Amino acid sequence: MRSLLLLLSASLAFAQQFEVASIKQAEPLNLQALAANRGAINLGNIGMKVNGNQVNFGYMSLRDLVMAAYEVKPTQMKAPEWMVQQRYDIQALMPEGADQKQIPAMLQALLKDRFKLVAHKDSKEQDVMALEVAKVGHKMKEAPPLDLSATPPPPAPGT
């Protein structure tokens, strides 16, 4: 029975890591090229993309990667400023049978292994704002239905 448990825990640990991963520093965005070629530049390689068993993290800071790995929002994380400055492109392959729900755990393992990341989770009380309806009710009025029969405006010159 003990060998079965060890084998099971070993396979679970393997499923929580990418098969292979390549990490490179991202090239800086060329803002002049973006301004000169409006709409012609493909920004599709920014952020996380999954295609089959291949996962790409494009032009992401270490802070962005940590937020994706631990599934937290920017307001839930404290990090030094240097974690935002350098950007990375990561290409990784998920093991056979892995699904997208396992990506955060695999990214955590990658960050621990390659970046020597040490994370600390903590609960903390903080002020929040809430939008509530007053006791007398709200004073909003329903918007009129959208008139889809109206003619669209003419196209802008040069389009």
Side-chain angles (χ1 to χ4, degrees):
M1 184 72 167
R2 180 169 281 194
S3 62
L4 177 62
L5 291 175
L6 291 175
L7 179 62
L8 180 60
S9 66
S11 67
L12 287 175
F14 174 74
Q16 297 300 313
Q17 294 184 2
F18 290 114
E19 260 183 35
V20 294
S22 166
I23 302 173
K24 297 179 182 174
Q25 286 188 0
E27 294 290 326
L29 287 180
N30 185 341
L31 298 178
Q32 291 176 341
L34 286 173
N37 300 322
R38 288 185 210 157
I41 300 293
N42 179 10
L43 298 177
N45 63 344
I46 295 176
M48 185 180 88
K49 306 281 187 289
V50 180
N51 186 9
N53 69 337
Q54 185 173 353
V55 185
N56 293 312
F57 301 92
Y59 199 73
M60 293 181 73
S61 69
L62 188 54
R63 184 174 194 264
D64 296 335
L65 293 166
V66 170
M67 286 190 307
Y70 290 92
E71 300 177 288
V72 295
K73 297 175 181 139
T75 57
Q76 296 175 301
M77 182 179 157
K78 274 191 175 181
E81 184 60 32
W82 59 264
M83 287 183 70
V84 181
Q85 295 169 352
Q86 180 59 53
R87 303 239 169 214
Y88 297 92
D89 292 326
I90 299 176
Q91 295 179 337
L93 289 177
M94 293 189 293
E96 194 68 34
D99 64 7
Q100 291 187 21
K101 293 176 187 173
Q102 295 171 303
I103 291 174
M106 288 187 264
L107 184 55
Q108 286 178 26
L110 180 73
L111 293 171
K112 287 176 186 175
D113 180 47
R114 303 282 184 90
F115 288 91
K116 307 302 181 209
L117 176 75
V118 177
H120 171 74
K121 289 185 179 182
D122 195 5
S123 295
K124 170 180 145 179
E125 285 189 31
Q126 64 187 80
D127 294 332
V128 296
M129 299 180 97
L131 181 62
E132 297 180 356
V133 177
K135 290 180 183 178
V136 296
H138 64 81
K139 296 180 180 180
M140 295 188 293
K141 297 178 183 166
E142 187 173 333
L146 184 60
D147 184 10
L148 298 176
S149 65
T151 58
T159 58

